Amino acid sequence: MTVDEVMAELVALDDPKMRAVNEKHGDDHGINLTKLRALAKRLKTQPVLARQLWDTDDTAAKLLALLICRPKLFERDELDAMIRQARTPKVHDWLVNYVVKKNPHAEELRTAWFADPDPVVASAGWALTTERVAKKPAGLDLTKLLDLIEARMKTAPDRLQWAMNHCLAQIGIDHPDHRARALDIGERLEVLKDYPTPPGCTSPFAPTWITEMVRRQNG
C-alpha cells in the first residue's frame, strides 16, 4: 500500500465519537486502537512506509508508523528528533515503549533526555529510567532518584510529574530497602492522591500503588 492508500484507510476508520473521547486526553485522532493494530498486522513490518507515515504529522499515521517500523533501524539523532515531534501523549508513549526501548541507543537517550529542559522530553528519560529501575537497576543511584523526585515532582508539569511518580512507585515496589522512603515521599507530596480511578483499577497515588503491588507479589 502507498502512503495515500493508507491515509485513505485511516480516514475511513475515523470515528467522531472516539475522537471526542481521545481529545479529552490530548490525542487528536478518532481511531479505535484495536482496529489500528489490525491494520498494522495486515501491513506487517515496513520500515520505509513507517517513515513516510511518520512524516505526515498525522497522529493516527504516526501511531501506525510506530507499529510497523523496525525499532533497531533508527539512529540516535532520528529518535531524538522524533521524541520532539511526538506532540500527543499516545504517540509519545508508544514511541518510548515500542521503539526506543528496543533500540540500541536507548541508554544513551535515557541519560540525555533525563536532563533535557523540555519537560515532555524529560518525561521520556524518566520513563526509560523506570524501565531500568524494574529490569536493570545495577548502576542506578536510587537514593539520588528519590532525592530528585522529592525535590521536583510536586511542581513538575503534568506529563513529567506522571513519569516521576511512576518511577517513585517502581522504586517502592521493586526495592524493599527504599520502600519506606518511597512511601513517605508519596504520602507527603500527595501527587495524584485524588486522581479518579475506575473500579477494579489501582490508583496511581504512589503509596496505594506500591502497597497494592507488594501485596500481590506476596500473595
Side-chain angles (χ1 to χ4, degrees), residues 80-149:
D80 185 67
M82 289 169 74
I83 202 72
R84 297 170 198 281
Q85 296 161 355
R87 298 172 292 103
T88 65
K90 186 63 71 177
V91 172
H92 184 275
D93 181 52
W94 282 18
L95 175 59
V96 172
N97 287 293
Y98 296 172
V99 180
V100 179
K101 285 181 180 179
K102 299 174 183 178
N103 184 274
H105 301 290
E107 179 60 18
E108 185 184 352
L109 289 168
R110 181 189 74 82
T111 55
W113 290 345
F114 190 86
D116 198 277
D118 182 330
V120 176
V121 175
S123 74
W126 277 90
L128 293 170
T129 299
T130 300
E131 175 92 346
R132 282 277 313 269
V133 166
K135 296 182 178 179
K136 295 180 182 177
L140 287 180
D141 187 337
L142 299 181
T143 299
K144 184 177 179 181
L145 283 175
L146 290 173
D147 289 344
L148 288 171
I149 291 167

Side-chain angles (χ1 to χ4, degrees), residues 56-196:
T56 65
D57 203 32
D58 176 86
T59 294
K62 282 182 181 293
L63 290 171
L64 182 59
L66 297 171
L67 293 174
I68 67 169
C69 72
R70 186 164 279 128
K72 292 181 180 179
L73 291 184
F74 290 104
E75 296 297 331
R76 180 204 180 282
D77 289 347
E78 274 187 290
L79 291 173
D80 185 67
M82 289 169 74
I83 202 72
R84 297 170 198 281
Q85 296 161 355
R87 298 172 292 103
T88 65
K90 186 63 71 177
V91 172
H92 184 275
D93 181 52
W94 282 18
L95 175 59
V96 172
N97 287 293
Y98 296 172
V99 180
V100 179
K101 285 181 180 179
K102 299 174 183 178
N103 184 274
H105 301 290
E107 179 60 18
E108 185 184 352
L109 289 168
R110 181 189 74 82
T111 55
W113 290 345
F114 190 86
D116 198 277
D118 182 330
V120 176
V121 175
S123 74
W126 277 90
L128 293 170
T129 299
T130 300
E131 175 92 346
R132 282 277 313 269
V133 166
K135 296 182 178 179
K136 295 180 182 177
L140 287 180
D141 187 337
L142 299 181
T143 299
K144 184 177 179 181
L145 283 175
L146 290 173
D147 289 344
L148 288 171
I149 291 167
E150 187 170 21
R152 301 178 186 175
M153 183 170 73
K154 182 77 172 179
T155 57
D158 286 352
R159 280 158 76 177
L160 178 55
Q161 184 184 70
W162 189 274
M164 294 174 84
N165 182 72
H166 189 177
C167 190
L168 173 66
Q170 205 69 54
I171 292 172
I173 292 163
D174 291 333
H175 300 278
D177 291 350
H178 296 275
R179 187 171 296 150
R181 187 181 175 201
L183 288 166
D184 178 63
I185 290 170
E187 291 286 1
R188 283 187 291 104
L189 298 187
E190 298 188 332
V191 168
L192 300 174
K193 185 174 184 178
D194 300 318
Y195 190 84

Side-chain angles (χ1 to χ4, degrees), residues 8-49:
E9 192 149 345
L10 290 174
V11 169
L13 288 172
D14 194 272
D15 178 349
K17 290 181 181 178
M18 183 69 69
R19 179 175 288 274
V21 171
N22 288 336
E23 284 179 347
K24 290 179 182 177
H25 302 289
D27 292 308
D28 56 348
H29 74 91
I31 298 180
N32 178 294
L33 295 180
T34 301
K35 293 180 179 178
L36 190 72
R37 292 180 190 279
L39 174 56
K41 190 174 181 180
R42 212 168 79 231
L43 290 170
K44 299 189 170 70
T45 302
Q46 295 196 46
V48 174
L49 179 60

